[in-house]
Amino acid sequence: MSDTSGRGPQGQHGGPPGPYGGPQGPYGGPQGPYGGPPPGWGRNGGWAPPPPPPKPGVIPLAPLGVDHILGGTFATMRRYAKPLFGTAAAAYGLLAAVMIAAGVLAYVSVREHFQALYETDATFSWDHGRPLLIAFGAVWLVGMLATLAVNSFIQASCAATLHEAVLGRPATFAAVWRRAWSRTPSVMAVTVLLALILLLPVAACVLFFVSFIVVVLTQSSASFGLLFLLFLVVTPLAAWLYVLFAFAPAVAALETAGPLQALRRSVRLVRGAWWRTFGISLLAGVIVGVVSLAVRLPLQFATPAPPPVDPDTSTSTVLLAQLRSQFGLYALVGLVGTFVTQLAASVFLPLVTAVLYVDQRIRKEGLAHTLTDASSVPPPAPYEPPAP
């Protein structure tokens, strides 16, 4: 496990880390708060205010307010739309291809068992059900792993894009893809560890809702009070843990840290700023929810009415007519709207978290000076293989 949390211009193990390569304190000397000349008396005897913070990219290199965090996120999405949404769309396209291929392979492998479900002269038994459960359970498992990889890749690509956006440098699709792909395993490991940490509170919440349904159906309230108290305890615990480790994916992507080191770094950065991190993250989630609702509501009102049902019509004919009424142009528009909303949300939320991470490092570790120096250095030229 690599440790890149340096104690100065270089990490613990030497080497030239980037501007996000670990905590660094503010530089000494008679500089102002953002690396410029200090404030003092002006030429005319008046007090000269401190210079504005440098802004080489999408955010000023100074402690950020909510307006700067959201504004920097939207500016990154606008200026770096191609690498951001291009990598996310390509990742989702790859996920769709994997799921379609897995579904087709599963259907081909158990086709004769699947036909026993709807053929009139076939008898469905456990001998048919067991292969179906195994095949489509494998499809579900492949889908979960592929979704985890895709979401981790998108988080890494957002952090890689923000790395260049803060410095005001261009970012190409290929460069973001390479950097995000190299950090995806670490971000995946962080996500799995975070899921394991949150497993107990989430399981307790699921148990509460299941028990609530059982209580309503059986009209028995013997253990409902205890389950409700458990719910009141584990819900804040889950929220506290989630926010405490919120910066771990950004740390894993930007500091090239291992999973456990990323979790520890996130705890150190969030400490003392939990409520601020929670509030801004909640605001970002509300923005995503409002935009998603604004897209889905018109589609709900535009849903075509199902055809009338004739009592003499067979069940299969009725179901086929219902399916036909829900497909066509409406289904295409709904699919496109859902995909665009999901694409924007998958980019927006990790970007907000990554900007919050940069803000905390500016506040706690004097990262603004390092970023100011890094923004004045031209990016390295892309590697070109020698001509044969």
Side-chain angles (χ1 to χ4, degrees):
M1 182 185 303
S2 63
D3 186 356
T4 56
S5 57
R7 295 192 178 92
Q10 293 183 348
Q12 289 179 345
H13 305 291
Y20 300 96
Q24 294 182 357
Y27 295 156
Q31 290 183 335
Y34 310 113
W41 294 103
R43 294 181 178 179
N44 298 326
W47 178 259
K55 187 179 179 182
V58 295
I59 58 173
L61 302 183
L64 305 176
V66 180
D67 55 339
H68 292 120
I69 292 173
L70 295 180
T73 301
F74 286 117
T76 305
M77 295 172 66
R78 183 177 63 254
R79 299 181 191 177
Y80 297 84
K82 290 183 179 180
L84 274 176
F85 296 107
T87 53
Y92 280 127
L94 184 60
L95 174 62
V98 169
M99 291 304 299
I100 291 173
V104 170
L105 289 176
Y107 174 76
V108 170
S109 62
V110 295
R111 179 170 49 189
E112 63 277 4
H113 302 287
F114 188 76
Q115 290 173 352
L117 284 172
Y118 58 86
E119 288 184 351
T120 56
D121 57 345
T123 302
F124 187 80
S125 63
W126 176 243
D127 293 334
H128 298 293
R130 184 173 57 252
L132 289 175
L133 289 176
I134 294 175
F136 289 99
V139 172
W140 176 83
L141 180 60
V142 169
M144 291 291 293
L145 294 176
T147 302
L148 172 63
V150 166
N151 289 336
S152 301
F153 173 79
I154 292 175
Q155 291 187 67
S157 67
C158 290
T161 305
L162 184 69
H163 175 274
E164 306 300 330
V166 170
L167 300 177
R169 296 174 177 175
T172 62
F173 175 88
V176 171
W177 182 279
R178 287 194 301 268
R179 182 165 185 174
W181 183 253
S182 66
R183 300 309 305 159
T184 295
S186 183
V187 177
M188 283 182 61
V190 166
T191 305
V192 172
L193 289 177
L194 184 56
L196 293 176
I197 292 172
L198 297 176
L199 182 61
L200 182 60
V202 171
C205 293
V206 172
L207 177 64
F208 169 76
F209 285 109
V210 171
S211 303
F212 177 77
I213 295 174
V214 172
V215 166
V216 171
L217 294 178
T218 60
Q219 298 181 353
S220 172
S221 58
S223 59
F224 181 74
L226 294 177
L227 290 171
F228 183 71
L229 291 177
L230 179 64
F231 174 76
L232 292 180
V233 171
V234 300
T235 300
L237 176 62
W240 178 71
L241 290 173
Y242 181 81
V243 175
L244 199 64
F245 299 114
F247 295 155
V251 172
L254 291 175
E255 297 185 21
T256 62
L260 294 178
Q261 182 189 0
L263 292 174
R264 290 194 297 266
R265 284 279 291 144
S266 179
V267 172
R268 288 196 293 267
L269 290 173
V270 174
R271 187 180 294 125
W274 189 94
W275 283 107
R276 184 172 185 273
T277 305
F278 171 75
I280 297 177
S281 301
L282 181 63
L283 177 60
V286 170
I287 292 174
V288 170
V290 170
V291 173
S292 177
L293 190 64
V295 173
R296 293 179 181 178
L297 276 181
L299 294 176
Q300 292 292 333
F301 287 113
T303 305
V309 177
D310 188 355
D312 298 330
T313 307
S314 64
T315 304
S316 59
T317 304
V318 171
L319 291 177
L320 183 60
Q322 296 284 339
L323 290 175
R324 286 177 177 174
S325 67
Q326 300 300 318
F327 284 91
L329 181 61
Y330 164 77
L332 180 61
V333 173
L335 183 63
V336 172
T338 302
F339 176 73
V340 171
T341 304
Q342 176 64 28
L343 193 65
S346 65
V347 169
F348 178 74
L349 293 176
L351 274 180
V352 171
T353 304
V355 176
L356 271 170
Y357 156 81
V358 175
D359 174 52
Q360 280 303 110
R361 289 203 57 189
I362 288 175
R363 292 172 181 268
K364 289 191 170 186
E365 300 172 358
L367 186 65
H369 304 283
T370 307
L371 294 175
T372 302
D373 295 340
S375 64
S376 61
V377 178
Y383 172 75
E384 295 182 0

